[in-house]
Amino acid sequence: MQHTGASAATVNRWYTQRDQYSEELRFPEVACTLERTHYYDQKAVEAFWSAWRQDVGTGRLQTAGRRPGDGRGNHGGGWGRDRRDRAVALALAELRQAGGYRRGMAAHLAREHGGNERSWQRAMTEARAQYKREQTAAGR
């Protein structure tokens, strides 16, 4: 992780999928494990990373086996995030109208607009954070 800048999940994926790659692009074997943390031979990791960057072309991690996403669980946005943004906007409007959060707002939104209550709870959580930022910026 230190040498490549990759996350623990990416290193784990490289390791678990190592048999799918040619010898020169294969992530190295674990050198030792201490307290459930794997350590690798530095020269082997450097050789892997050099070959991986040459094969990928840019060396950017986002091209290392996963599609880029928006960081919010929806690859590239799309209808899922758009629907969530609309739900957050409705929840934020509800918060503004009520002058702040009231218990049961997510259930009310679920009954009024459809969908499940848990989805509205997540939208309400995002809306509450936005509402709090608005209130802080307004000096309240």
Side-chain angles (χ1 to χ4, degrees):
M1 289 176 358
Q2 289 175 341
H3 182 73
T4 64
S7 69
T10 298
V11 171
N12 185 49
R13 187 177 63 254
W14 283 336
Y15 183 75
T16 57
Q17 295 176 355
R18 62 193 305 275
D19 293 336
Q20 298 174 12
Y21 295 96
S22 63
E23 192 69 35
E24 55 275 350
L25 293 177
R26 187 172 295 160
F27 196 75
E29 189 61 56
V30 174
C32 71
T33 303
L34 298 172
E35 296 181 17
R36 297 180 4 174
T37 301
H38 297 303
Y39 294 90
Y40 304 91
D41 179 74
Q42 183 172 347
K43 288 184 181 183
V45 171
E46 289 171 356
F48 158 78
W49 187 237
S50 176
W52 185 267
R53 286 190 309 185
Q54 286 178 356
D55 185 64
V56 171
T58 63
R60 294 181 306 141
L61 290 177
Q62 55 264 46
T63 60
R66 289 192 300 189
R67 298 183 330 208
D70 64 4
R72 296 184 273 188
N74 193 319
H75 296 288
W79 65 270
R81 186 63 215 181
D82 185 50
R83 186 171 14 184
R84 178 68 163 281
D85 287 341
R86 285 194 309 269
V88 170
L90 286 169
L92 187 56
E94 189 82 12
L95 287 169
R96 289 175 183 145
Q97 181 180 356
Y101 177 73
R102 305 284 186 269
R103 189 166 190 236
M105 283 183 151
H108 170 74
L109 288 168
R111 284 191 304 274
E112 189 173 317
H113 299 283
N116 68 48
E117 187 176 338
R118 180 66 188 122
S119 294
W120 283 102
Q121 287 172 348
R122 287 190 294 271
M124 183 59 73
T125 298
E126 271 189 60
R128 287 175 72 183
Q130 287 181 22
Y131 183 77
K132 185 177 180 179
R133 285 192 298 272
E134 286 177 2
Q135 297 304 305
T136 302
R140 297 181 187 171

